[in-house]
Amino acid sequence: MRGAMTVIERDVDAMLIPSGDKVLLPAGSELTVVQTLGGNVTVQDPYGQLFRIDQKNADVLGEEYAVKAKAPDESVTPGEFGEFNEEQVWEQLRTVYDPEIPVNIVELGLVYTCKATPLDEGGQRVDIEMTLTAPGCGMGQVLVEDVRSKVSALPGVKEANVELVWEPQWDQSRMTDVARLQLGWM
């Protein structure tokens, strides 16, 4: 989804893509929305540089990007109550997107393993091994934290351990047909 150019009216914290460096985009910056998948927003400046703006600050781009705040359900605490369902883990993983590629990390073939283990004190520990499309990508720890926070928020999950691995090295053969279709490669 490519949006119209927007001039932001206040300073906003962002992340430079692909380095992952934190930057401050000053009020008056001209930005074009290039991707809104997974909750965060990828924008491009007039010089072609890409930035990621966290969903909590997306309102700087206009009302249509503002996160609709929901009152938290205080009757359920993530990780403590509720029945664990492994399919929910995979559903959450499908909401994590590389900010440069409009395909989720599952369809890209970046998730190598996802294993849930019951804990003695109750709940589950979920161990995930994943990789990146390129070893030098500075967004790696950002994606790892996205995965950790989304999986940790699921009912029944007490621990979420996410590890970046480099063996086997990722290549395009790991992508699903869904990913190829989304990228126009089929």
Side-chain angles (χ1 to χ4, degrees):
M1 161 202 180
R2 190 166 183 89
M5 192 272 298
T6 300
V7 177
I8 59 173
E9 296 183 10
R10 70 171 199 274
D11 295 349
V12 66
D13 291 322
M15 190 167 300
L16 188 60
I17 300 171
S19 71
D21 294 335
K22 293 181 181 183
V23 296
L24 181 70
L25 297 174
S29 295
E30 296 178 354
L31 303 171
T32 301
V33 173
V34 295
Q35 180 171 292
T36 60
L37 302 169
N40 300 303
V41 182
T42 301
V43 295
Q44 186 174 40
D45 70 10
Y47 307 102
Q49 184 60 62
L50 295 174
F51 302 89
R52 174 178 141 157
I53 297 176
D54 286 339
Q55 64 184 19
K56 67 181 181 214
N57 292 320
D59 64 311
V60 74
L61 300 166
E63 191 173 310
E64 65 268 33
Y65 301 104
V67 175
K68 306 299 184 218
K70 294 188 332 186
D73 181 356
E74 294 177 12
S75 65
V76 177
T77 303
E80 292 186 15
F81 302 104
E83 190 170 324
F84 175 76
N85 179 336
E86 191 167 341
E87 185 52 38
Q88 287 182 328
V89 175
W90 286 101
E91 287 174 21
Q92 283 295 80
L93 292 173
R94 287 183 184 95
T95 68
V96 178
Y97 288 80
D98 182 303
E100 295 178 283
I101 305 171
V103 178
N104 70 63
I105 63 172
V106 172
E107 303 302 335
L108 279 174
L110 299 180
V111 179
Y112 286 170
T113 64
C114 177
K115 179 183 173 193
T117 306
L119 297 170
D120 291 341
E121 64 273 11
Q124 302 279 326
R125 182 183 73 234
V126 178
D127 294 300
I128 297 168
E129 288 185 346
M130 63 177 286
T131 194
L132 302 174
T133 57
C137 177
M139 297 301 291
Q141 290 306 315
V142 174
L143 291 174
V144 164
E145 188 50 41
D146 281 355
V147 168
R148 182 179 292 113
S149 66
K150 288 185 177 196
V151 171
S152 294
L154 290 171
V157 176
K158 291 266 190 166
E159 297 176 25
N161 300 309
V162 184
E163 181 181 358
L164 271 181
V165 297
W166 307 110
E167 294 293 327
Q169 184 174 352
W170 180 89
D171 63 53
Q172 294 176 6
S173 70
R174 297 187 177 280
M175 294 170 51
T176 66
D177 286 345
V178 170
R180 293 177 198 287
L181 191 60
Q182 286 176 315
L183 294 172
W185 294 0
M186 285 184 78

